[in-house]
Amino acid sequence: MRVAIAGAGNVGRSIAQELIENGHQVMLIERQQRMLRPERVPAAQWVLADACELTSLEEADLAGCDVVVAATGDDKVNLVVSLLAKTEFAVPRVVARVNRAENEWLFTEQWGVDVAVSKPRVMAALVEEAVTVGDLVRLMTFRQGEANLVEITLPPSAPYVGQPLHAVPLPRDAALVAILRGKRVLVPSPDDPIEAGDELIFVCTAEMEDAVRAVVLGADSVERTRESR
């Protein structure tokens, strides 16, 4: 992929380095001269420009990017970059960094954002994921709630432990995308049995979360979860 990242601070550079190591082409757009540090990510294309200016984005050929990441430390800038990327350049995928939790409600499709990443939310989700067994944990939201990445760690009492995946009647709009078992990442296949302690990673719509929980953890799990909250 060709990826443009607005903001060459610690967050932007970290994302750039990760993507480059995975074989992608990365362009870092930074408006402050003092933040231009090509030696820190030498494999990236560095552009000194204001990512909020239409002409600058045209010169950088933003329309040729598969993904734009708005990664500055200013939520207003990230919203403007996202909106321009989506509406003016028709970039297929726009990911935006949310710096202040109270601004998270603004990061919607109306502002061109496909995925909003809030560090406090991600950290909270990772904490939950690490300690929660027998409940559904939302790891990430895509398209402002249209689809979620969720995780369930199976307790020994889960109804389908020991049975193959094809026996699990998952609801519509829900897909099991990975099984984490110990240090292994397994691509699910219909004949694979699921085991106690497995971390099941699903993509599903928000409306289907309770249905996924009920199937995987048992019909009474939804009510138990609501009572515990």
Side-chain angles (χ1 to χ4, degrees):
M1 295 186 300
R2 184 167 184 258
V3 182
I5 301 173
N10 290 332
V11 173
R13 293 197 306 269
S14 295
I15 297 169
Q17 191 61 54
E18 183 85 14
L19 291 171
I20 288 168
E21 289 175 359
N22 289 333
H24 303 296
Q25 300 176 25
V26 175
M27 173 173 58
L28 276 163
I29 304 173
E30 175 55 54
R31 65 179 177 178
Q32 298 184 58
Q33 179 73 52
R34 63 181 179 81
M35 295 296 293
L36 284 183
R37 304 283 181 84
E39 71 279 2
R40 295 196 175 183
V41 192
Q45 175 190 357
W46 288 74
V47 176
L48 178 62
D50 188 341
C52 292
E53 292 184 357
L54 197 58
T55 54
S56 297
L57 298 180
E58 289 173 346
E59 292 174 2
D61 188 27
L62 207 73
C65 292
D66 302 291
V67 182
V68 165
V69 181
T72 79
D74 188 323
D75 285 343
K76 296 188 295 296
V77 171
N78 290 343
L79 286 170
V80 171
V81 171
S82 299
L83 186 63
L84 291 175
K86 185 65 72 174
T87 59
E88 298 295 331
F89 299 96
V91 175
R93 189 74 164 167
V94 176
V95 179
R97 172 188 177 187
V98 184
N99 294 279
R100 298 179 66 87
E102 62 266 29
N103 295 332
E104 192 168 2
W105 66 276
L106 288 166
F107 286 73
T108 65
E109 284 190 332
Q110 284 69 37
W111 278 94
V113 178
D114 293 308
V115 179
V117 181
S118 168
K119 286 191 287 186
R121 171 179 286 186
V122 172
M123 291 175 67
L126 291 174
V127 170
E128 286 188 282
E129 184 270 337
V131 302
T132 303
V133 176
D135 197 7
L136 180 147
V137 176
R138 185 180 297 171
L139 300 177
M140 186 172 290
T141 297
F142 303 102
R143 294 187 177 274
Q144 291 303 305
E146 289 184 23
N148 296 322
L149 187 71
V150 302
E151 183 266 355
I152 297 176
T153 300
L154 289 181
S157 58
Y160 292 97
V161 166
Q163 298 192 42
L165 285 172
H166 65 73
V168 183
L170 286 179
R172 61 179 177 82
D173 297 330
L176 178 63
V177 295
I179 300 173
L180 308 185
R181 182 174 295 160
K183 295 183 179 180
R184 300 176 61 200
V185 178
L186 307 176
V187 178
S189 66
D191 294 326
D192 288 337
I194 54 177
E195 302 176 2
D198 281 354
E199 296 181 51
L200 307 184
I201 309 297
F202 296 90
V203 174
C204 65
T205 60
E207 291 77 11
M208 288 294 108
E209 287 185 358
D210 280 350
V212 170
R213 183 189 283 111
V215 168
V216 175
L217 296 173
D220 62 341
S221 62
V222 175
E223 192 61 35
R224 289 201 311 269
T225 298
R226 288 173 178 166
E227 289 174 354
S228 67
R229 292 174 181 172

